[in-house]
Each structure stands twice: as C-alpha cells, then as structure tokens.
Amino acid sequence: QSVLTQPPSASGTPGQRVTISCSGSSANIGSNTVNWYQQLPGTAPKLLIYNNNQRPSGVPDRFSGSKSGTSASLAISGLQSEDEADYYCSAWDDSLNGWVFGGGTKLTVL
Amino acid sequence: QLQLQESGPGLVKPSETLSLTCTVAGGSTSSSTYYWGWIRQPPGKGLEWIGSIHYSGSMYYNPSLKSRVTMSLDTSKNQFSLNLSSVTAADTAVYYCARKTVGASNPFDSWGQGILVTVSS
C-alpha cells in the first residue's frame, strides 16, 4: 500500500490529452513539492517534473504538472506512442521523514 | 555528464546481508551539494525509497527498513554503498542508486541503470 495514491492505469489515443492524479496528505503533498518520474519499459526511472510544475532540460513541454492542496496531477498533451510508460509521483513526507512514492500509473497509448 | 553504476551480487541467500556499491563518474561524492540515495523496485511493483546519505555524514533511512539498513560513502573511490541485513524473499528487487541536490524537496535527478538482486537459497 503506497502512501501516495495513483490510478493503476490510464490510456489515450495519439494526439489526445491525458491526466494522471496523485493523492496524498498534509504530511507530504500538502506541505512539500511533488516530483514525477517516467519509467519506460525495462529502464530506470527518469525525472519528468520537479517542484510541482518544472521540467528538467530536455523534457518536452507536452508534459506539465500541477498541485492543489493534497493532490497533484500530471498532464500529457499531444499523446505519442513513445509516452507509453509507467509514471510515478513522489514527495517528501514530514511524518515519515522520508521520500514516498505513488504506486505508479501504467499509461497505454491505444 | 553524471553516470551512476550499481554493482554487487545478483543472488543473496535468505537471512544474509545484501551489499551493493554505486560508483559515481562525472561527479563527486565529496560534494556538499548532493545527497546520494538508494531506491528499490520489486518485480512488477512500484518504487520504494531506502535511504540517502550526504558527504557530511547526514543520513536518512526509510523507517520501515531502518533497523536493517546501513549506508556508507567512500570518497577516495567515489562510491557509496548499501548494506541490508537479514534479507528475505520480500527484498528481491531491482536496486537503483541515485543523486539528489541538497534541499528538502529536491528530486532524485540522476539514476543508475539498476541491478536485480534475488533473495533465494
């Protein structure tokens, strides 16, 4: 059981916009920033979004993040086949004094 | 460009200690700017943070693993290590080493490719 809650799956067709939610509590998302990681099949996770809505260099602007209260969202617009991957949200948890992750969302491009 | 590479046994017996090393290239483990961490992923499951260590000696461990985890840093070899004691089948996972910038919410921005460790007799 993950501390942060994500839907196990999401899907969309090429060109569509999809969103993935991440729900937490006042101890984590409510008081700290959220990061998102993309894990392509068979590879290590890669930082996708940090500080709620910032993109590292090289990440397309099709990817965006937002946060409100104790929840966060990752949006992917202009969906492409290469976006098919697992996506994880993460935040520091003040109660656990450690990093927590969501259970991951498997994105399928139909 | 920073590169992280995990190494260690791919098979560990139950009740023994899992020991892994992460070798850093293109960066320095003696930098005060970064924490160095371990994250694991059981087959087909999600990510679990294990712990993080800083050059100063500051360390943070996952409370659920704290009693079994020891992390260390060898600046002369530009490496950091993980020891996980009394392993069981539940510790079977891909183990990743990673780097994060100092600062409460700064993310893990560089990851190693991961190493699969299986716990089995």
Side-chain angles (χ1 to χ4, degrees), chain B residues 10-34:
Chain B
L11 181 64
V12 181
K13 290 182 168 55
S15 80
E16 294 189 343
T17 296
L18 178 160
S19 296
L20 297 175
T21 297
C22 182
T23 300
V24 179
S28 175
T29 56
S30 61
S31 169
S32 60
T33 306
Y34 302 110

Side-chain angles (χ1 to χ4, degrees), chain B residues 2-114:
Chain B
L2 184 75
Q3 290 188 321
L4 304 169
Q5 180 68 59
E6 305 87 352
S7 60
L11 181 64
V12 181
K13 290 182 168 55
S15 80
E16 294 189 343
T17 296
L18 178 160
S19 296
L20 297 175
T21 297
C22 182
T23 300
V24 179
S28 175
T29 56
S30 61
S31 169
S32 60
T33 306
Y34 302 110
Y35 269 88
W36 306 93
W38 291 95
I39 299 104
R40 70 180 182 177
Q41 184 173 35
K45 297 187 178 181
L47 301 169
E48 180 181 35
W49 171 73
I50 299 171
S52 302
I53 186 170
H54 186 261
Y55 166 70
S56 64
S58 173
M59 286 177 281
Y60 294 93
Y61 293 152
N62 186 322
S64 68
L65 299 171
K66 188 174 182 178
S67 63
R68 299 194 291 129
V69 171
T70 304
M71 292 179 62
S72 61
L73 205 142
D74 186 338
T75 57
S76 67
K77 295 181 179 178
N78 219 27
Q79 296 175 333
F80 60 102
S81 299
L82 168 71
N83 281 348
L84 180 65
S85 64
S86 304
V87 297
T88 69
D91 296 309
T92 294
V94 175
Y95 286 76
Y96 297 100
C97 60
R99 180 194 78 173
K100 73 170 290 294
T101 305
V102 169
S105 292
N106 286 330
F108 291 99
D109 58 6
S110 292
W111 296 60
Q113 66 183 27

Side-chain angles (χ1 to χ4, degrees), chain A residues 4-106:
Chain A
L4 304 181
T5 301
Q6 297 179 236
S9 64
S11 63
T13 56
Q16 261 191 334
R17 182 178 188 270
V18 297
T19 61
I20 297 171
S21 62
C22 176
S23 178
S25 70
S26 58
N28 40 67
I29 294 178
S31 49
N32 296 295
T33 60
V34 177
N35 307 306
W36 290 89
Y37 299 90
Q38 178 193 56
Q39 187 175 32
L40 297 170
T43 70
K46 165 194 163 187
L47 180 64
L48 191 67
I49 297 286
Y50 67 98
N51 195 20
N52 300 329
N53 55 19
Q54 303 298 302
R55 287 185 307 275
S57 173
V59 173
D61 59 6
R62 301 187 296 105
F63 295 91
S64 62
S66 64
K67 185 185 105 168
S68 179
T70 58
S71 294
S73 291
L74 172 70
I76 309 171
S77 60
L79 197 62
Q80 299 179 5
S81 58
E82 56 260 40
D83 298 333
E84 194 160 278
D86 293 324
Y87 293 85
Y88 294 90
C89 59
S90 179
W92 179 262
D93 190 291
D94 291 333
S95 294
L96 297 174
N97 207 31
W99 288 96
V100 292
F101 288 90
T105 298
K106 183 176 184 62

